Amino acid sequence: MTPIRAAVPTTEEARALLVGLRRAVDGERDAIAADLADDEPDAALLDLVAAPFASVADVDERLAKTESYLRERGDRRAVFLTVYSRMTATVRTAIDDGAFVDPEWTAAYLVAFAERYRRALVAFERRAFGSLPRPWLLAFAAAARGETLVAQDALLGINAHIAYDLTYALGDVGIDPDRGAKLEDHDRINAVLARLVQTAQDALVDAYGALGIAGIDAAFDPLDDRLALLGLTATREFAWRNAVLRADLPARLAERYVDWRTETVATGAAAVVLAPEFDAEAGRRLRDAETEGDAAGAFREAFGRLT
């Protein structure tokens, strides 16, 4: 892939860029800071995630502990971790089973990917909003405010981690030498992500069904359609194309363009997840179901059953 081809946005990326450019986040930083001014950082949570990840096993174990900790406290940031901790465990097993061309690179990639999430979580918990990427600011703030559906919490985290973090995780571990072999392993990880994200979507439908909402899958069409500004396959290709640009173009030019494009596209996708065009009746049914039952718990149970 030539740098020129990698730099040209697809139609879906262009749409997300337009939405992202219209999304004003600087003012939101101040509003979020004001909303959380009286909330003390959670020392126990920071103890779990303050230290950098040291290995695949460390990532697997601490993500699972963090998911349990947040879930037990009713913290909606656990919703994304339900998916992500399972993805990590699945990739860890695949590494142990020899499923990758370069298992050492894949292990480093998984750790670098998790590090991006860990840093974002720590920055938010310490209220260091100025250092937080915009897609994560929107995702974590939505969970903290409790104004979103479980479905939105899951998709916001997936978007921030895949559409934003994946680009930088690839940059952290490098795509050379043996770029072709690394692309194969990247694609294998992507296959795991694709399966688990689809399972997460199925689990969301099952979760609302368990709360007494039948046929609710149609209500998710606006989320599915609007998150498809990139689509998961295209988003993962987007990350690889960004990595190619960073590797092949002069550093200063590549970094400025990739940074702008990655954050703007991921912010645009987050914006549309936050503002789906729900049918009024469907939206009411979803919110009523979450008010009356444990939607996050039902989602976790359904996700565990389906995986």
Side-chain angles (χ1 to χ4, degrees):
M1 179 183 295
T2 65
I4 292 176
R5 285 184 58 198
V8 176
T10 65
T11 301
E12 291 80 7
E13 289 165 15
R15 291 173 60 202
L17 282 167
L18 289 173
V19 176
L21 287 169
R22 291 196 297 266
R23 180 80 191 198
V25 177
D26 289 340
E28 286 194 49
R29 292 186 197 276
D30 294 336
I32 292 166
D35 287 347
L36 300 177
D38 296 331
D39 293 346
E40 291 292 327
D42 187 327
L45 174 60
L46 287 172
D47 282 345
L48 280 172
V49 295
F53 290 121
S55 65
V56 170
D58 185 31
V59 171
D60 188 11
E61 292 161 11
R62 279 204 280 154
L63 285 181
K65 289 178 181 178
T66 304
E67 190 269 347
S68 295
Y69 180 83
L70 292 174
R71 175 170 44 83
E72 289 167 1
R73 283 152 184 76
D75 190 318
R76 295 285 281 268
R77 287 175 293 180
V79 173
F80 165 68
L81 272 179
T82 294
V83 180
Y84 186 37
S85 60
R86 184 60 59 91
M87 184 278 285
T88 301
T90 302
V91 175
R92 179 185 182 182
T93 299
I95 292 172
D96 292 342
D97 290 344
F100 295 98
V101 177
D102 187 342
E104 290 185 4
W105 181 83
T106 303
Y109 183 13
L110 186 145
V111 173
F113 195 29
E115 263 298 288
R116 290 286 169 174
Y117 167 77
R118 186 197 65 80
R119 292 176 198 169
L121 181 61
V122 169
F124 185 83
E125 194 59 32
R126 289 177 173 165
R127 312 300 186 245
F129 301 132
S131 64
L132 195 63
R134 290 190 294 170
W136 277 122
L137 177 68
L138 295 174
F140 287 145
R145 286 167 164 168
E147 298 173 353
T148 41
L149 299 166
V150 165
Q152 290 169 294
D153 291 328
L155 293 175
L156 285 167
I158 289 167
N159 169 69
H161 203 39
I162 296 178
Y164 185 84
D165 287 345
L166 201 58
T167 287
Y168 296 102
L170 284 167
D172 292 339
V173 295
I175 60 173
D176 294 311
D178 299 323
R179 187 177 295 186
K182 290 177 173 60
L183 177 57
E184 285 186 46
D185 285 341
H186 171 73
D187 288 342
R188 286 186 175 92
I189 291 177
N190 288 341
V192 172
L193 290 172
R195 288 194 299 272
L196 288 179
V197 169
Q198 182 57 56
T199 300
Q201 291 174 315
D202 294 341
L204 286 166
V205 174
D206 282 5
Y208 286 106
L211 296 175
I213 304 298
I216 205 64
D217 53 321
F220 290 133
D221 287 346
L223 281 174
D224 290 341
D225 291 345
R226 303 196 77 190
L227 188 61
L229 281 170
L230 284 179
L232 287 168
T233 300
T235 301
R236 296 187 302 271
E237 292 173 355
F238 172 72
W240 184 264
R241 287 164 51 222
N242 283 338
V244 169
L245 287 174
R246 288 168 63 93
D248 293 351
L249 289 180
R252 187 171 181 180
L253 173 63
E255 288 179 7
R256 291 182 66 181
Y257 176 65
V258 169
D259 287 351
W260 170 79
R261 181 167 80 162
T262 303
E263 186 165 66
T264 305
V265 166
T267 300
V272 296
V273 172
L274 283 167
E277 295 174 348
F278 281 128
D279 171 83
E281 175 61 19
R284 183 191 64 77
R285 292 167 66 204
L286 285 166
R287 294 187 186 283
D288 286 350
E290 292 207 0
T291 299
E292 296 171 6
D294 180 9
F299 167 66
R300 187 177 189 277
E301 181 179 343
F303 187 76
R305 184 175 63 253
L306 292 172
T307 54

Short mmCIF file of all heavy atoms in Angstrom, two decimals, residues 184-236:
data_model
loop_
_atom_site.label_atom_id
_atom_site.label_comp_id
_atom_site.label_asym_id
_atom_site.label_seq_id
_atom_site.Cartn_x
_atom_site.Cartn_y
_atom_site.Cartn_z
N GLU A 184 -0.53 -10.02 8.59
CA GLU A 184 -1.28 -11.27 8.80
C GLU A 184 -1.72 -11.40 10.25
O GLU A 184 -2.87 -11.77 10.54
CB GLU A 184 -0.41 -12.47 8.41
CG GLU A 184 -0.24 -12.71 6.93
CD GLU A 184 0.51 -14.00 6.66
OE1 GLU A 184 0.17 -15.03 7.29
OE2 GLU A 184 1.45 -13.98 5.84
N ASP A 185 -0.81 -11.12 11.17
CA ASP A 185 -1.17 -11.24 12.59
C ASP A 185 -2.16 -10.15 13.01
O ASP A 185 -3.06 -10.40 13.82
CB ASP A 185 0.09 -11.18 13.45
CG ASP A 185 0.90 -12.47 13.39
OD1 ASP A 185 0.32 -13.51 13.00
OD2 ASP A 185 2.09 -12.45 13.72
N HIS A 186 -2.00 -8.95 12.46
CA HIS A 186 -2.98 -7.88 12.70
C HIS A 186 -4.37 -8.33 12.25
O HIS A 186 -5.36 -8.15 12.97
CB HIS A 186 -2.53 -6.64 11.93
CG HIS A 186 -3.54 -5.52 11.89
ND1 HIS A 186 -3.83 -4.74 12.98
CD2 HIS A 186 -4.31 -5.06 10.87
CE1 HIS A 186 -4.74 -3.84 12.65
NE2 HIS A 186 -5.05 -4.01 11.38
N ASP A 187 -4.43 -8.96 11.08
CA ASP A 187 -5.72 -9.42 10.56
C ASP A 187 -6.30 -10.54 11.43
O ASP A 187 -7.52 -10.64 11.59
CB ASP A 187 -5.57 -9.90 9.12
CG ASP A 187 -5.36 -8.75 8.14
OD1 ASP A 187 -5.67 -7.60 8.50
OD2 ASP A 187 -4.88 -9.00 7.01
N ARG A 188 -5.43 -11.39 11.98
CA ARG A 188 -5.93 -12.45 12.86
C ARG A 188 -6.53 -11.86 14.14
O ARG A 188 -7.57 -12.33 14.61
CB ARG A 188 -4.79 -13.42 13.21
CG ARG A 188 -4.40 -14.35 12.05
CD ARG A 188 -3.37 -15.38 12.50
NE ARG A 188 -3.09 -16.34 11.45
CZ ARG A 188 -2.11 -16.21 10.55
NH1 ARG A 188 -1.30 -15.16 10.61
NH2 ARG A 188 -1.92 -17.13 9.62
N ILE A 189 -5.87 -10.85 14.69
CA ILE A 189 -6.45 -10.18 15.86
C ILE A 189 -7.76 -9.50 15.48
O ILE A 189 -8.74 -9.53 16.24
CB ILE A 189 -5.45 -9.16 16.45
CG1 ILE A 189 -4.27 -9.90 17.08
CG2 ILE A 189 -6.13 -8.26 17.49
CD1 ILE A 189 -3.19 -8.99 17.63
N ASN A 190 -7.79 -8.91 14.30
CA ASN A 190 -9.01 -8.26 13.84
C ASN A 190 -10.17 -9.24 13.74
O ASN A 190 -11.32 -8.90 14.02
CB ASN A 190 -8.77 -7.62 12.47
CG ASN A 190 -7.89 -6.39 12.57
OD1 ASN A 190 -7.74 -5.82 13.65
ND2 ASN A 190 -7.31 -5.99 11.47
N ALA A 191 -9.86 -10.47 13.34
CA ALA A 191 -10.92 -11.48 13.24
C ALA A 191 -11.51 -11.77 14.62
O ALA A 191 -12.72 -11.96 14.76
CB ALA A 191 -10.36 -12.76 12.62
N VAL A 192 -10.65 -11.80 15.64
CA VAL A 192 -11.13 -11.99 17.01
C VAL A 192 -12.02 -10.82 17.42
O VAL A 192 -13.11 -10.99 17.97
CB VAL A 192 -9.95 -12.13 17.99
CG1 VAL A 192 -10.45 -12.14 19.44
CG2 VAL A 192 -9.16 -13.40 17.70
N LEU A 193 -11.56 -9.59 17.13
CA LEU A 193 -12.34 -8.41 17.46
C LEU A 193 -13.70 -8.44 16.78
O LEU A 193 -14.73 -8.15 17.39
CB LEU A 193 -11.58 -7.14 17.04
CG LEU A 193 -10.33 -6.77 17.83
CD1 LEU A 193 -9.62 -5.61 17.15
CD2 LEU A 193 -10.68 -6.40 19.25
N ALA A 194 -13.71 -8.80 15.51
CA ALA A 194 -14.96 -8.80 14.75
C ALA A 194 -15.96 -9.78 15.35
O ALA A 194 -17.15 -9.47 15.50
CB ALA A 194 -14.68 -9.15 13.29
N ARG A 195 -15.48 -10.98 15.69
CA ARG A 195 -16.39 -11.98 16.27
C ARG A 195 -16.95 -11.51 17.60
O ARG A 195 -18.15 -11.65 17.87
CB ARG A 195 -15.66 -13.31 16.46
CG ARG A 195 -15.37 -14.06 15.17
CD ARG A 195 -14.97 -15.50 15.45
NE ARG A 195 -13.76 -15.60 16.26
CZ ARG A 195 -12.53 -15.62 15.76
NH1 ARG A 195 -12.34 -15.52 14.46
NH2 ARG A 195 -11.48 -15.74 16.56
N LEU A 196 -16.09 -10.94 18.44
CA LEU A 196 -16.55 -10.54 19.77
C LEU A 196 -17.46 -9.31 19.72
O LEU A 196 -18.39 -9.20 20.51
CB LEU A 196 -15.35 -10.28 20.68
CG LEU A 196 -14.59 -11.54 21.11
CD1 LEU A 196 -13.40 -11.17 21.98
CD2 LEU A 196 -15.50 -12.51 21.86
N VAL A 197 -17.19 -8.40 18.79
CA VAL A 197 -18.07 -7.24 18.67
C VAL A 197 -19.45 -7.67 18.18
O VAL A 197 -20.48 -7.20 18.66
CB VAL A 197 -17.45 -6.18 17.75
CG1 VAL A 197 -18.47 -5.09 17.41
CG2 VAL A 197 -16.24 -5.55 18.42
N GLN A 198 -19.49 -8.60 17.23
CA GLN A 198 -20.78 -9.12 16.78
C GLN A 198 -21.49 -9.82 17.93
O GLN A 198 -22.71 -9.68 18.12
CB GLN A 198 -20.60 -10.07 15.61
CG GLN A 198 -21.92 -10.62 15.06
CD GLN A 198 -22.87 -9.53 14.62
OE1 GLN A 198 -22.52 -8.69 13.79
NE2 GLN A 198 -24.07 -9.50 15.19
N THR A 199 -20.73 -10.58 18.71
CA THR A 199 -21.31 -11.25 19.88
C THR A 199 -21.85 -10.22 20.87
O THR A 199 -22.91 -10.42 21.47
CB THR A 199 -20.27 -12.15 20.56
OG1 THR A 199 -19.82 -13.14 19.63
CG2 THR A 199 -20.86 -12.84 21.78
N ALA A 200 -21.10 -9.12 21.05
CA ALA A 200 -21.57 -8.07 21.95
C ALA A 200 -22.89 -7.49 21.48
O ALA A 200 -23.80 -7.24 22.29
CB ALA A 200 -20.51 -6.97 22.06
N GLN A 201 -23.02 -7.29 20.18
CA GLN A 201 -24.28 -6.76 19.65
C GLN A 201 -25.42 -7.75 19.88
O GLN A 201 -26.53 -7.37 20.26
CB GLN A 201 -24.12 -6.43 18.17
CG GLN A 201 -23.19 -5.24 17.93
CD GLN A 201 -22.92 -5.01 16.46
OE1 GLN A 201 -22.64 -5.94 15.71
NE2 GLN A 201 -22.98 -3.76 16.04
N ASP A 202 -25.14 -9.04 19.66
CA ASP A 202 -26.16 -10.06 19.92
C ASP A 202 -26.52 -10.10 21.40
O ASP A 202 -27.69 -10.27 21.77
CB ASP A 202 -25.65 -11.44 19.48
CG ASP A 202 -25.45 -11.54 17.97
OD1 ASP A 202 -26.03 -10.71 17.24
OD2 ASP A 202 -24.71 -12.45 17.54
N ALA A 203 -25.49 -9.95 22.26
CA ALA A 203 -25.73 -9.99 23.70
C ALA A 203 -26.57 -8.80 24.16
O ALA A 203 -27.38 -8.93 25.09
CB ALA A 203 -24.41 -10.01 24.46
N LEU A 204 -26.39 -7.65 23.53
CA LEU A 204 -27.22 -6.50 23.88
C LEU A 204 -28.69 -6.78 23.60
O LEU A 204 -29.57 -6.46 24.41
CB LEU A 204 -26.75 -5.27 23.09
CG LEU A 204 -25.44 -4.64 23.55
CD1 LEU A 204 -24.93 -3.66 22.50
CD2 LEU A 204 -25.60 -3.94 24.89
N VAL A 205 -28.95 -7.39 22.46
CA VAL A 205 -30.33 -7.75 22.13
C VAL A 205 -30.88 -8.74 23.15
O VAL A 205 -32.00 -8.59 23.65
CB VAL A 205 -30.42 -8.32 20.70
CG1 VAL A 205 -31.83 -8.84 20.41
CG2 VAL A 205 -30.02 -7.26 19.68
N ASP A 206 -30.08 -9.76 23.48
CA ASP A 206 -30.51 -10.75 24.46
C ASP A 206 -30.73 -10.11 25.84
O ASP A 206 -31.66 -10.48 26.57
CB ASP A 206 -29.46 -11.86 24.60
CG ASP A 206 -29.51 -12.85 23.44
OD1 ASP A 206 -30.30 -12.62 22.51
OD2 ASP A 206 -28.76 -13.84 23.49
N ALA A 207 -29.86 -9.16 26.19
CA ALA A 207 -29.97 -8.54 27.51
C ALA A 207 -31.29 -7.79 27.66
O ALA A 207 -31.97 -7.91 28.68
CB ALA A 207 -28.80 -7.58 27.73
N TYR A 208 -31.65 -7.03 26.65
CA TYR A 208 -32.92 -6.31 26.73
C TYR A 208 -34.10 -7.28 26.67
O TYR A 208 -35.13 -7.06 27.31
CB TYR A 208 -33.02 -5.26 25.63
CG TYR A 208 -32.14 -4.06 25.91
CD1 TYR A 208 -30.96 -3.86 25.20
CD2 TYR A 208 -32.46 -3.15 26.90
CE1 TYR A 208 -30.13 -2.78 25.47
CE2 TYR A 208 -31.65 -2.07 27.18
CZ TYR A 208 -30.48 -1.88 26.46
OH TYR A 208 -29.66 -0.82 26.73
N GLY A 209 -33.92 -8.37 25.94
CA GLY A 209 -34.95 -9.40 25.93
C GLY A 209 -35.16 -9.99 27.31
O GLY A 209 -36.29 -10.24 27.74
N ALA A 210 -34.05 -10.19 28.05
CA ALA A 210 -34.14 -10.74 29.40
C ALA A 210 -34.85 -9.78 30.35
O ALA A 210 -35.40 -10.19 31.37
CB ALA A 210 -32.74 -11.05 29.94
N LEU A 211 -34.84 -8.50 29.99
CA LEU A 211 -35.53 -7.50 30.81
C LEU A 211 -36.98 -7.31 30.38
O LEU A 211 -37.65 -6.40 30.84
CB LEU A 211 -34.79 -6.16 30.73
CG LEU A 211 -33.36 -6.15 31.30
CD1 LEU A 211 -32.72 -4.80 31.05
CD2 LEU A 211 -33.37 -6.46 32.79
N GLY A 212 -37.43 -8.18 29.47
CA GLY A 212 -38.84 -8.14 29.08
C GLY A 212 -39.13 -7.32 27.84
O GLY A 212 -40.29 -7.02 27.56
N ILE A 213 -38.08 -6.95 27.09
CA ILE A 213 -38.28 -6.16 25.88
C ILE A 213 -38.08 -7.08 24.68
O ILE A 213 -36.95 -7.42 24.33
CB ILE A 213 -37.30 -4.98 25.80
CG1 ILE A 213 -37.44 -4.12 27.05
CG2 ILE A 213 -37.54 -4.16 24.55
CD1 ILE A 213 -38.80 -3.49 27.22
N ALA A 214 -39.16 -7.52 24.08
CA ALA A 214 -39.08 -8.44 22.94
C ALA A 214 -38.95 -7.66 21.64
O ALA A 214 -39.46 -6.55 21.50
CB ALA A 214 -40.33 -9.31 22.90
N GLY A 215 -38.24 -8.26 20.68
CA GLY A 215 -38.12 -7.66 19.35
C GLY A 215 -37.37 -6.35 19.34
O GLY A 215 -37.56 -5.51 18.46
N ILE A 216 -36.49 -6.15 20.33
CA ILE A 216 -35.83 -4.86 20.45
C ILE A 216 -34.68 -4.70 19.46
O ILE A 216 -34.14 -3.61 19.32
CB ILE A 216 -35.33 -4.67 21.90
CG1 ILE A 216 -35.19 -3.18 22.24
CG2 ILE A 216 -34.01 -5.40 22.12
CD1 ILE A 216 -36.48 -2.42 22.22
N ASP A 217 -34.31 -5.78 18.76
CA ASP A 217 -33.19 -5.67 17.84
C ASP A 217 -33.40 -4.59 16.79
O ASP A 217 -32.46 -3.93 16.36
CB ASP A 217 -32.89 -7.02 17.17
CG ASP A 217 -34.11 -7.62 16.51
OD1 ASP A 217 -35.21 -7.52 17.09
OD2 ASP A 217 -33.96 -8.21 15.43
N ALA A 218 -34.65 -4.37 16.40
CA ALA A 218 -34.92 -3.33 15.40
C ALA A 218 -34.58 -1.94 15.94
O ALA A 218 -34.22 -1.05 15.18
CB ALA A 218 -36.38 -3.37 14.98
N ALA A 219 -34.67 -1.78 17.25
CA ALA A 219 -34.36 -0.47 17.84
C ALA A 219 -32.89 -0.13 17.73
O ALA A 219 -32.51 1.03 17.81
CB ALA A 219 -34.78 -0.45 19.31
N PHE A 220 -32.04 -1.16 17.56
CA PHE A 220 -30.61 -0.90 17.46
C PHE A 220 -30.19 -0.52 16.04
O PHE A 220 -29.03 -0.18 15.82
CB PHE A 220 -29.81 -2.12 17.90
CG PHE A 220 -29.89 -2.38 19.38
CD1 PHE A 220 -30.16 -3.65 19.86
CD2 PHE A 220 -29.72 -1.35 20.28
CE1 PHE A 220 -30.24 -3.89 21.22
CE2 PHE A 220 -29.81 -1.58 21.64
CZ PHE A 220 -30.07 -2.85 22.11
N ASP A 221 -31.10 -0.57 15.09
CA ASP A 221 -30.73 -0.23 13.72
C ASP A 221 -30.09 1.15 13.60
O ASP A 221 -29.09 1.31 12.89
CB ASP A 221 -31.95 -0.32 12.79
CG ASP A 221 -32.35 -1.76 12.52
OD1 ASP A 221 -31.55 -2.66 12.82
OD2 ASP A 221 -33.46 -1.98 12.02
N PRO A 222 -30.62 2.19 14.29
CA PRO A 222 -29.96 3.49 14.18
C PRO A 222 -28.52 3.46 14.69
O PRO A 222 -27.64 4.08 14.10
CB PRO A 222 -30.83 4.41 15.06
CG PRO A 222 -32.17 3.74 15.09
CD PRO A 222 -31.85 2.27 15.08
N LEU A 223 -28.26 2.74 15.78
CA LEU A 223 -26.90 2.63 16.28
C LEU A 223 -26.02 1.89 15.29
O LEU A 223 -24.91 2.31 14.98
CB LEU A 223 -26.88 1.90 17.62
CG LEU A 223 -27.28 2.72 18.85
CD1 LEU A 223 -27.35 1.81 20.07
CD2 LEU A 223 -26.31 3.85 19.10
N ASP A 224 -26.51 0.76 14.79
CA ASP A 224 -25.72 -0.02 13.84
C ASP A 224 -25.42 0.78 12.58
O ASP A 224 -24.30 0.81 12.09
CB ASP A 224 -26.48 -1.30 13.44
CG ASP A 224 -26.54 -2.30 14.59
OD1 ASP A 224 -25.73 -2.18 15.52
OD2 ASP A 224 -27.41 -3.18 14.53
N ASP A 225 -26.46 1.46 12.05
CA ASP A 225 -26.29 2.18 10.80
C ASP A 225 -25.34 3.36 10.97
O ASP A 225 -24.50 3.63 10.11
CB ASP A 225 -27.64 2.69 10.30
CG ASP A 225 -28.55 1.56 9.84
OD1 ASP A 225 -28.02 0.44 9.65
OD2 ASP A 225 -29.75 1.79 9.70
N ARG A 226 -25.46 4.07 12.07
CA ARG A 226 -24.66 5.28 12.22
C ARG A 226 -23.24 4.96 12.67
O ARG A 226 -22.29 5.65 12.29
CB ARG A 226 -25.35 6.24 13.18
CG ARG A 226 -26.77 6.59 12.70
CD ARG A 226 -27.32 7.80 13.39
NE ARG A 226 -26.73 9.00 12.84
CZ ARG A 226 -26.89 10.21 13.37
NH1 ARG A 226 -27.58 10.35 14.46
NH2 ARG A 226 -26.33 11.26 12.81
N LEU A 227 -23.07 3.90 13.47
CA LEU A 227 -21.71 3.49 13.80
C LEU A 227 -21.00 2.98 12.56
O LEU A 227 -19.78 3.03 12.46
CB LEU A 227 -21.72 2.40 14.87
CG LEU A 227 -20.34 2.02 15.43
CD1 LEU A 227 -19.69 3.23 16.09
CD2 LEU A 227 -20.44 0.88 16.41
N ALA A 228 -21.76 2.53 11.57
CA ALA A 228 -21.18 2.05 10.33
C ALA A 228 -20.64 3.18 9.47
O ALA A 228 -20.35 2.98 8.30
CB ALA A 228 -22.21 1.26 9.53
N LEU A 229 -20.49 4.38 10.03
CA LEU A 229 -19.74 5.42 9.34
C LEU A 229 -18.41 4.85 8.86
O LEU A 229 -17.93 5.18 7.78
CB LEU A 229 -19.45 6.59 10.29
CG LEU A 229 -20.58 7.58 10.54
CD1 LEU A 229 -20.22 8.51 11.67
CD2 LEU A 229 -20.89 8.35 9.28
N LEU A 230 -17.81 4.01 9.66
CA LEU A 230 -16.61 3.30 9.24
C LEU A 230 -16.88 1.82 9.10
O LEU A 230 -16.43 1.19 8.17
CB LEU A 230 -15.48 3.50 10.26
CG LEU A 230 -14.79 4.85 10.25
CD1 LEU A 230 -13.74 4.90 11.34
CD2 LEU A 230 -14.15 5.10 8.90
N GLY A 231 -17.59 1.25 10.02
CA GLY A 231 -17.73 -0.20 10.07
C GLY A 231 -16.48 -0.77 10.71
O GLY A 231 -15.39 -0.22 10.60
N LEU A 232 -16.63 -1.89 11.38
CA LEU A 232 -15.49 -2.42 12.12
C LEU A 232 -14.36 -2.88 11.22
O LEU A 232 -13.19 -2.65 11.50
CB LEU A 232 -15.97 -3.56 13.03
CG LEU A 232 -16.77 -3.04 14.22
CD1 LEU A 232 -17.47 -4.19 14.91
CD2 LEU A 232 -15.87 -2.31 15.18
N THR A 233 -14.70 -3.54 10.12
CA THR A 233 -13.64 -3.98 9.21
C THR A 233 -12.89 -2.78 8.67
O THR A 233 -11.65 -2.74 8.66
CB THR A 233 -14.24 -4.79 8.05
OG1 THR A 233 -14.89 -5.94 8.58
CG2 THR A 233 -13.15 -5.23 7.08
N ALA A 234 -13.62 -1.77 8.23
CA ALA A 234 -12.98 -0.58 7.68
C ALA A 234 -12.18 0.16 8.75
O ALA A 234 -11.13 0.74 8.46
CB ALA A 234 -14.04 0.34 7.07
N THR A 235 -12.66 0.14 9.99
CA THR A 235 -11.95 0.82 11.06
C THR A 235 -10.60 0.19 11.32
O THR A 235 -9.59 0.87 11.52
CB THR A 235 -12.79 0.80 12.36
OG1 THR A 235 -14.03 1.44 12.10
CG2 THR A 235 -12.08 1.53 13.48
N ARG A 236 -10.55 -1.13 11.29
CA ARG A 236 -9.28 -1.82 11.51
C ARG A 236 -8.34 -1.59 10.33
O ARG A 236 -7.13 -1.44 10.52
CB ARG A 236 -9.54 -3.30 11.75
CG ARG A 236 -10.34 -3.56 13.02
CD ARG A 236 -10.45 -5.03 13.35
NE ARG A 236 -11.08 -5.80 12.28
CZ ARG A 236 -12.38 -6.00 12.17
NH1 ARG A 236 -13.21 -5.46 13.05
NH2 ARG A 236 -12.87 -6.73 11.20
#
